[in-house]
Amino acid sequence: MITSDAELPPRLGSLTFHGPLSEERAASLVRRIAGSGPADVLDIGCGWGELLLRILDATPGAKGIGIDIEAEDLARGRALAAERGLADRVAFVEESARGSEHGPVDAILCLGSSQALCDPELPHDPAEALRELRRLVRPGGLVVLGEGFWERTPTGTELAAMWPGATAGDHFPLGGLVDLAIAAGFRPAWIETASRDEWEAFESGYRYDTEVWLAAHPDHPLAAETRERVDRQRSGWLNGYRGVLGMAYLTLVATA
């Protein structure tokens, strides 16, 4: 049976940002980065680059590069750039971030994407990602790192309900994460964390379009596997990392 694209489950259409980030916090980050007057901005794991585009819009003359491996998200980013008259100032590039040659730049965004800077054959290592970010930013430049951290040590039951193979070593506490940033050659200029409301808006928005699609297409050939996937995702959040996993937004200044 041939299935048209219109009949397929939608993907992330209800999200403005691919992470627990509110409009208020996004506006604050844009003001902070634009206020530093960057000439060039790199967005690692950019998705559709919403925050990158807002920074470019607020920083006349600045240019940006967004890199990601999701072609669909990059196409969405190019369309958004064209709609906002920014197409000549930004490039969306389909490539891996590890070993990137797109630096050094004045500002970097890496929101929920630090794993893209690490060896995929090894466990995720925020220290390695931070060293790569320091390599890619000029002295005095800004990095906004969105990184998971444990609000508290998860229990065995919570870990079992999260993602496959989850362990207490998958993340650091917030203090440990900031210490890693300092050791990598940064000063933590601003430390903030996602609120419960931001998390709930992201988690619900992540699945909203798919849930509505499932309700309307219960017998679709892809319904069973789609339902299993979103049920597993929701359970991992509600029974596993809700209130346990935090998201830190660290504005880091590269030392000389």
Side-chain angles (χ1 to χ4, degrees):
M1 177 181 177
I2 298 175
T3 304
S4 71
D5 290 344
E7 295 175 329
L8 295 176
R11 183 176 180 273
L12 308 181
S14 290
L15 290 178
T16 301
F17 306 103
H18 196 175
L21 182 66
S22 66
E23 287 287 345
E24 180 180 12
R25 193 181 308 280
S28 176
L29 290 172
V30 169
R31 287 193 299 270
R32 195 173 303 140
I33 298 171
S36 71
D40 39 22
V41 184
L42 174 64
D43 192 345
I44 295 172
C46 64
W48 51 89
E50 178 65 31
L51 197 62
L52 172 62
L53 293 175
R54 294 188 186 194
I55 291 168
L56 296 180
D57 189 50
T59 316
K63 293 187 178 294
I65 297 176
I67 58 177
D68 206 296
I69 58 173
E70 288 288 344
E72 182 180 345
D73 288 346
L74 293 168
R76 179 177 170 184
R78 294 185 191 105
L80 289 171
E83 290 174 8
R84 301 176 192 183
L86 296 169
D88 61 337
R89 294 171 52 201
V90 64
F92 288 95
V93 183
E94 185 177 352
E95 66 181 36
S96 170
R98 184 167 169 78
S100 175
E101 297 180 357
H102 293 297
V105 295
D106 288 337
I108 299 177
L109 302 174
C110 184
L111 303 183
S113 302
S114 64
Q115 69 279 357
L117 296 166
C118 299
D119 187 337
E121 301 301 320
L122 297 175
H124 176 225
D125 183 1
E128 179 184 5
L130 281 157
R131 289 192 295 270
E132 274 292 282
L133 290 168
R134 181 62 192 84
R135 178 181 69 83
L136 290 167
V137 69
R138 296 185 181 103
L142 294 183
V143 170
V144 175
L145 174 67
E147 183 71 23
F149 71 96
W150 292 132
E151 297 269 11
R152 58 171 173 77
T153 302
T155 67
T157 299
E158 289 165 338
L159 286 169
M162 294 183 193
W163 47 89
T167 73
D170 287 348
H171 294 285
F172 285 83
L174 182 58
L177 182 60
V178 172
D179 288 344
L180 290 178
I182 294 171
F186 293 103
R187 296 305 303 175
W190 201 276
I191 300 169
E192 53 195 314
T193 63
S195 68
R196 178 65 62 87
D197 286 347
E198 286 174 302
W199 268 111
E200 292 183 349
F202 168 62
E203 291 287 348
S204 294
Y206 188 85
R207 284 174 289 276
Y208 176 80
D209 293 314
T210 305
E211 295 286 16
V212 171
W213 181 88
L214 282 168
H217 302 85
D219 300 319
H220 189 280
L222 296 177
E225 65 182 82
T226 303
R227 191 160 40 241
E228 190 277 334
R229 173 173 54 82
V230 296
D231 287 350
R232 183 176 64 250
Q233 289 172 344
R234 186 191 327 101
S235 179
W237 169 47
L238 293 177
N239 300 312
Y241 59 85
R242 184 174 185 265
V244 182
L245 177 64
M247 176 62 73
Y249 293 108
L250 307 181
T251 301
L252 308 171
V253 184
T255 57

